[in-house]
Each structure stands twice: as C-alpha cells, then as structure tokens.
Amino acid sequence: MTTDVARSESHRGPIKLRQLLDDTIVTVIVGEEKRVFKIHKNLLCSASSYFKAALDGKFKEAEEQKIKLLEEKPDILESFQLWLCTKSIIDEGESVTTFDFDLLIGIYVFAESRLVMALQNLAIDMIIRKAGKEKIVPRQSKIYLDTMAGSHLRRLVVDMAARIGLLCNWQWYDSKGELFNSTDYLVDLVKALYDEKVAARPQEDNFWKIRCNYHIHGEGEPRCPKDTPNPDKA
C-alpha cells in the first residue's frame, strides 16, 4: 500500500489533517439510484481541477456545494472516496485480484474525465498488476467505447496485446457474425504488431517496469523509478 501512496500524491500536494477539521462537506449524488456520498471539499479540490472549478466557481454546484454524477456508478465513487482518504483503492483484506477489469477501467475513465491524474495513474498500475498476476490481457471493447483517441489506456491494452496477448484464443466475432472488436482498435493493433514483428523493433514486455510510459505527469514532475518493486512479487 505504501507504494500506491507514494506514487499517487495529488498534483496539489497532500492534504493535512487540520485542513479537514473545519472543512465544508460536499454532497455528491451518484448513479441512477442517486446514492449520496459526503466528501470533504478540500479533498476534492486538491485532487482535481475539475472539482475545484465546480465548487469554487460561479456554477450552481458552488452555491449548493452539491455535485450530481448521475452517469457514474457508486462502486467507482466508493473507490474514489477511499483513494481520496488513503491514496490507495485497496482496502483492508483486499488485493489486486479483488477487482475486475471493468471496475479498474471504470475508475480510469472516471479519473481521466474528472482530471484526477494521480488516480488515473494508479488505475493504470492496478490494471498492469492484475494482468501480470492473472496472465490475462484486458479486453478492449469497453476501453475503446469509453475513451478518446490518444488515451494512455488505449495504448496500454494495444501494447499488451501486441507483446504478450494470445490473439489466437480471442473471440473476434459476435453471435451475429459482426466484428467483436472496434475498427479503431484493430488499426492500432496492426500498427503495434508491425513495429513488433515486421519492423523488428521489439519493445519491453515487463509492463510494471515501464508503467510510467502510460502515466500522466505534470510539468516538472519526476518519472516513476523503474526499479520500484512490483507489490505482487515482493
């Protein structure tokens, strides 16, 4: 857990406990069921310029100190709230195998869209850890549906498929004979396979070692050390 904490410091710096003693509590309403989360304003604003703009600006959210995220899922917000307090999404008694890829991808997409860079990087690390531990390459369909071109998560799953994926075992067509994979993904995969096989430019396949290639870092922020031990191999 200490590795996750060190790697996921907010770009605005960690919040001190005294900053929370007289802090405003923000109401966050999540999902179709409108589940209510109560979160310290300083934690939200420190983690994300998106939340800071909403809560300190001239929007309705700032006046009411209430944010509605009706398109999000409560389990993603649970992980976000835990991360805000501990800088980890792994709770006591849990491990990387507790999480399925859909949840980790959902956390990444949430962090990417809400400009929570440190959580975005942590989600990348968790996906790499789970893929390495379970010897599974995450499927791309949800990723390409929920992210934009240029997404670091898209690049990660393409690189994984090109370097370690067992493509012969994949389901390429659905029950109606339609392509199961997006055309954007297939184009990206062909390019990556060309670099790997045809152009003879093989790349590193230890994704934990090169995880920083898929991170977002602010200007002047140091890159992650390659010799940081993988928590699952300690």
Side-chain angles (χ1 to χ4, degrees):
M1 184 175 293
T2 55
T3 301
D4 289 341
V5 172
R7 197 167 52 252
S8 303
E9 287 294 334
S10 165
H11 65 291
R12 298 180 181 275
I15 286 289
K16 296 180 180 179
L17 180 59
R18 63 174 59 92
Q19 291 178 266
L20 302 179
L21 296 179
D22 192 29
D23 191 20
T24 300
I25 301 298
V26 175
T27 299
V28 184
I29 303 173
V30 180
E32 295 180 355
E33 60 269 51
K34 297 183 179 180
R35 181 172 167 185
V36 174
F37 290 78
K38 299 289 188 177
I39 304 177
H40 285 278
K41 178 181 177 179
N42 268 329
L43 288 177
L44 285 170
C45 293
S46 175
S48 163
S49 56
Y50 170 91
F51 288 112
K52 182 172 178 58
L55 295 169
D56 281 343
K58 298 180 180 180
F59 301 103
K60 179 181 179 181
E61 290 85 351
E63 180 181 344
E64 298 180 349
Q65 293 298 292
K66 180 187 295 184
I67 293 178
K68 293 182 179 180
L69 302 175
L70 302 183
E71 75 281 9
E72 300 292 351
K73 295 182 178 179
D75 57 351
I76 292 175
L77 263 291
E78 286 178 2
S79 293
F80 176 50
Q81 187 172 34
L82 177 63
W83 175 83
L84 284 172
C85 298
T86 68
K87 293 299 180 283
S88 175
I89 60 173
I90 300 179
D91 205 353
E92 184 176 355
E94 295 179 341
S95 70
V96 68
T97 58
T98 305
F99 299 80
D100 60 36
F101 278 124
D102 281 351
L103 177 56
L104 294 175
I105 292 167
I107 292 170
Y108 178 93
V109 171
F110 168 83
E112 185 177 56
S113 63
R114 310 298 176 186
L115 306 178
V116 192
M117 292 188 297
L119 180 58
Q120 195 174 331
N121 294 343
L122 181 57
I124 286 285
D125 291 355
M126 289 285 287
I127 290 170
I128 289 173
R129 287 172 59 184
K130 182 176 179 65
K133 192 173 183 66
E134 300 183 355
K135 310 301 180 187
I136 299 174
V137 175
R139 296 305 300 262
Q140 55 71 36
S141 52
K142 180 176 175 59
I143 295 170
Y144 270 71
L145 182 65
D146 293 343
T147 61
M148 301 291 289
S151 166
H152 288 217
L153 182 55
R154 285 191 181 194
R155 187 157 54 85
L156 173 63
V157 296
V158 167
D159 288 349
M160 282 183 165
R163 299 175 196 177
I164 61 176
L166 300 175
L167 302 185
C168 60
N169 294 332
W170 280 19
Q171 179 183 347
W172 293 97
Y173 298 92
D174 64 18
S175 59
K176 298 180 180 179
E178 300 290 336
L179 266 176
F180 196 75
N181 301 280
S182 75
T183 53
D184 286 342
Y185 170 73
L186 294 175
V187 170
D188 290 343
L189 180 58
V190 167
K191 291 177 180 177
L193 287 171
Y194 177 86
D195 280 345
E196 286 291 312
K197 310 299 181 184
V198 180
R201 293 195 292 264
Q203 303 293 321
E204 174 68 66
D205 61 2
N206 181 343
F207 285 93
W208 176 258
K209 184 177 179 180
I210 60 171
R211 66 197 184 283
C212 200
N213 292 349
Y214 307 97
H215 286 177
I216 299 290
H217 290 296
E219 185 177 353
E221 186 178 352
R223 291 178 62 84
C224 311
K226 290 185 177 181
D227 58 353
T228 301
N230 185 330
D232 303 305
K233 295 183 179 180

